[in-house]
Short mmCIF file of all heavy atoms in Angstrom, two decimals:
data_model
loop_
_atom_site.label_atom_id
_atom_site.label_comp_id
_atom_site.label_asym_id
_atom_site.label_seq_id
_atom_site.Cartn_x
_atom_site.Cartn_y
_atom_site.Cartn_z
N PRO A 58 -11.33 16.69 -5.01
CA PRO A 58 -11.81 17.38 -3.84
C PRO A 58 -13.08 16.52 -3.30
O PRO A 58 -13.87 16.06 -4.14
CB PRO A 58 -12.37 18.71 -4.30
CG PRO A 58 -12.10 18.79 -5.78
CD PRO A 58 -11.57 17.42 -6.23
N THR A 59 -13.13 16.35 -2.01
CA THR A 59 -14.36 15.58 -1.46
C THR A 59 -14.73 16.18 -0.10
O THR A 59 -13.90 16.96 0.50
CB THR A 59 -14.00 14.12 -1.21
OG1 THR A 59 -13.25 14.01 0.06
CG2 THR A 59 -13.13 13.46 -2.30
N MET A 60 -15.81 15.76 0.45
CA MET A 60 -16.26 16.13 1.77
C MET A 60 -16.08 14.89 2.72
O MET A 60 -16.66 14.93 3.80
CB MET A 60 -17.67 16.66 1.72
CG MET A 60 -17.79 17.94 1.01
SD MET A 60 -19.10 18.98 1.50
CE MET A 60 -20.51 17.95 1.35
N GLY A 61 -15.42 13.90 2.24
CA GLY A 61 -15.16 12.75 3.08
C GLY A 61 -16.29 11.69 3.21
O GLY A 61 -17.23 11.84 2.37
N HIS A 64 -16.68 6.69 -0.29
CA HIS A 64 -17.18 5.43 -0.81
C HIS A 64 -16.58 5.14 -2.13
O HIS A 64 -15.79 5.89 -2.60
CB HIS A 64 -18.75 5.44 -0.80
CG HIS A 64 -19.28 6.71 -1.56
ND1 HIS A 64 -19.15 6.98 -2.83
CD2 HIS A 64 -19.96 7.81 -1.07
CE1 HIS A 64 -19.71 8.09 -3.20
NE2 HIS A 64 -20.24 8.71 -2.13
N GLY A 66 -17.65 5.67 -5.07
CA GLY A 66 -17.75 6.79 -6.05
C GLY A 66 -16.55 7.61 -5.92
O GLY A 66 -15.91 7.96 -6.91
N HIS A 67 -16.21 8.04 -4.71
CA HIS A 67 -14.97 8.88 -4.51
C HIS A 67 -13.72 8.11 -5.01
O HIS A 67 -12.84 8.72 -5.63
CB HIS A 67 -14.82 9.26 -3.04
CG HIS A 67 -15.93 10.00 -2.39
ND1 HIS A 67 -16.76 9.41 -1.50
CD2 HIS A 67 -16.29 11.28 -2.60
CE1 HIS A 67 -17.60 10.41 -1.09
NE2 HIS A 67 -17.45 11.54 -1.75
N LEU A 70 -12.99 8.21 -8.66
CA LEU A 70 -12.35 9.48 -9.07
C LEU A 70 -10.84 9.43 -8.74
O LEU A 70 -9.97 9.81 -9.54
CB LEU A 70 -12.98 10.63 -8.27
CG LEU A 70 -14.14 11.37 -8.87
CD1 LEU A 70 -15.36 10.52 -9.12
CD2 LEU A 70 -14.56 12.60 -7.95
N TYR A 101 -23.55 15.92 9.08
CA TYR A 101 -22.99 15.35 7.88
C TYR A 101 -21.96 14.25 8.35
O TYR A 101 -21.13 14.45 9.16
CB TYR A 101 -22.14 16.40 7.06
CG TYR A 101 -21.78 15.86 5.63
CD1 TYR A 101 -22.74 15.94 4.63
CD2 TYR A 101 -20.65 15.27 5.37
CE1 TYR A 101 -22.51 15.47 3.39
CE2 TYR A 101 -20.39 14.78 4.09
CZ TYR A 101 -21.36 14.84 3.13
OH TYR A 101 -21.11 14.36 1.90
N LEU A 176 -10.72 16.08 -10.82
CA LEU A 176 -11.72 15.11 -11.11
C LEU A 176 -13.07 15.27 -10.34
O LEU A 176 -12.94 15.42 -9.07
CB LEU A 176 -11.19 13.64 -11.01
CG LEU A 176 -9.92 13.42 -11.91
CD1 LEU A 176 -8.70 13.41 -11.01
CD2 LEU A 176 -10.08 12.09 -12.51
N PHE A 177 -14.15 15.21 -11.01
CA PHE A 177 -15.44 15.40 -10.40
C PHE A 177 -16.40 14.39 -10.92
O PHE A 177 -16.27 13.94 -12.01
CB PHE A 177 -16.05 16.84 -10.74
CG PHE A 177 -15.25 17.98 -10.07
CD1 PHE A 177 -14.11 18.43 -10.71
CD2 PHE A 177 -15.58 18.42 -8.77
CE1 PHE A 177 -13.35 19.53 -10.10
CE2 PHE A 177 -14.88 19.42 -8.21
CZ PHE A 177 -13.73 20.04 -8.93
N GLY A 178 -17.34 13.98 -10.04
CA GLY A 178 -18.27 12.92 -10.47
C GLY A 178 -19.47 13.47 -11.29
O GLY A 178 -19.90 14.56 -11.00
N LYS A 180 -22.22 12.30 -11.05
CA LYS A 180 -23.38 12.21 -10.22
C LYS A 180 -23.90 13.59 -9.85
O LYS A 180 -25.12 13.88 -9.78
CB LYS A 180 -23.05 11.42 -8.90
CG LYS A 180 -24.26 11.07 -8.12
CD LYS A 180 -23.93 10.96 -6.72
CE LYS A 180 -25.11 11.41 -5.87
NZ LYS A 180 -24.60 12.26 -4.79
N ASP A 181 -23.03 14.47 -9.49
CA ASP A 181 -23.33 15.86 -9.25
C ASP A 181 -23.18 16.68 -10.56
O ASP A 181 -22.28 17.46 -10.71
CB ASP A 181 -22.45 16.33 -8.14
CG ASP A 181 -22.58 15.59 -6.88
OD1 ASP A 181 -23.57 15.84 -6.04
OD2 ASP A 181 -21.83 14.63 -6.59
N GLN A 184 -22.98 20.50 -10.57
CA GLN A 184 -21.69 20.91 -9.96
C GLN A 184 -20.53 20.80 -11.05
O GLN A 184 -19.74 21.71 -11.22
CB GLN A 184 -21.38 20.02 -8.78
CG GLN A 184 -20.03 20.23 -8.22
CD GLN A 184 -19.85 19.51 -6.90
OE1 GLN A 184 -20.31 20.00 -5.87
NE2 GLN A 184 -19.23 18.34 -6.92
N VAL A 204 -16.26 12.09 -14.18
CA VAL A 204 -16.13 10.62 -14.03
C VAL A 204 -17.57 10.03 -13.83
O VAL A 204 -18.40 10.63 -13.07
CB VAL A 204 -15.26 10.25 -12.81
CG1 VAL A 204 -15.15 8.77 -12.61
CG2 VAL A 204 -13.85 10.89 -13.04
N PRO A 205 -17.84 8.90 -14.51
CA PRO A 205 -19.23 8.33 -14.50
C PRO A 205 -19.66 7.89 -13.05
O PRO A 205 -18.82 7.67 -12.14
CB PRO A 205 -19.09 7.02 -15.25
CG PRO A 205 -17.89 7.23 -16.17
CD PRO A 205 -16.98 8.18 -15.40
N THR A 206 -20.97 7.94 -12.82
CA THR A 206 -21.52 7.69 -11.45
C THR A 206 -21.31 6.24 -11.10
O THR A 206 -21.65 5.35 -11.90
CB THR A 206 -23.06 8.01 -11.56
OG1 THR A 206 -23.22 9.37 -11.90
CG2 THR A 206 -23.72 7.79 -10.18
N VAL A 207 -20.82 6.05 -9.86
CA VAL A 207 -20.74 4.63 -9.37
C VAL A 207 -21.96 4.36 -8.62
O VAL A 207 -22.44 5.14 -7.81
CB VAL A 207 -19.43 4.54 -8.50
CG1 VAL A 207 -19.40 3.10 -7.88
CG2 VAL A 207 -18.19 4.82 -9.28
N ALA A 214 -27.37 5.50 -6.89
CA ALA A 214 -26.09 6.18 -7.02
C ALA A 214 -25.51 6.26 -5.56
O ALA A 214 -26.18 6.60 -4.56
CB ALA A 214 -26.33 7.58 -7.42
N MET A 215 -24.28 5.90 -5.50
CA MET A 215 -23.55 5.96 -4.15
C MET A 215 -23.50 7.43 -3.73
O MET A 215 -23.24 8.26 -4.46
CB MET A 215 -22.14 5.39 -4.24
CG MET A 215 -22.21 3.95 -4.34
SD MET A 215 -20.57 3.21 -4.10
CE MET A 215 -20.88 1.52 -4.41
P1 AMP B 6 -18.72 14.85 -2.07
O1 AMP B 6 -17.76 14.27 -1.07
O2 AMP B 6 -20.11 14.36 -2.00
O3 AMP B 6 -18.62 16.32 -2.14
O4 AMP B 6 -18.21 14.36 -3.47
C1 AMP B 6 -16.89 14.57 -3.91
C2 AMP B 6 -16.79 14.17 -5.31
O5 AMP B 6 -17.16 12.83 -5.52
C3 AMP B 6 -17.66 14.98 -6.30
O6 AMP B 6 -16.99 15.27 -7.46
C4 AMP B 6 -18.81 13.99 -6.51
O7 AMP B 6 -19.52 14.29 -7.77
C5 AMP B 6 -18.07 12.68 -6.51
N1 AMP B 6 -19.02 11.61 -6.24
C6 AMP B 6 -19.84 11.38 -5.24
N2 AMP B 6 -20.61 10.38 -5.29
C7 AMP B 6 -20.25 9.74 -6.55
C8 AMP B 6 -20.65 8.57 -7.21
N3 AMP B 6 -21.57 7.71 -6.70
N4 AMP B 6 -20.01 8.32 -8.37
C9 AMP B 6 -19.10 9.13 -8.93
N5 AMP B 6 -18.65 10.24 -8.31
C10 AMP B 6 -19.21 10.56 -7.10
#
Side-chain angles (χ1 to χ4, degrees):
T59 80
M60 297 208 300
H64 50 65
H67 299 112
L70 269 57
Y101 196 83
L176 300 103
F177 291 86
K180 189 206 145 227
D181 300 277
Q184 172 173 280
V204 178
T206 303
V207 177
M215 288 192 182

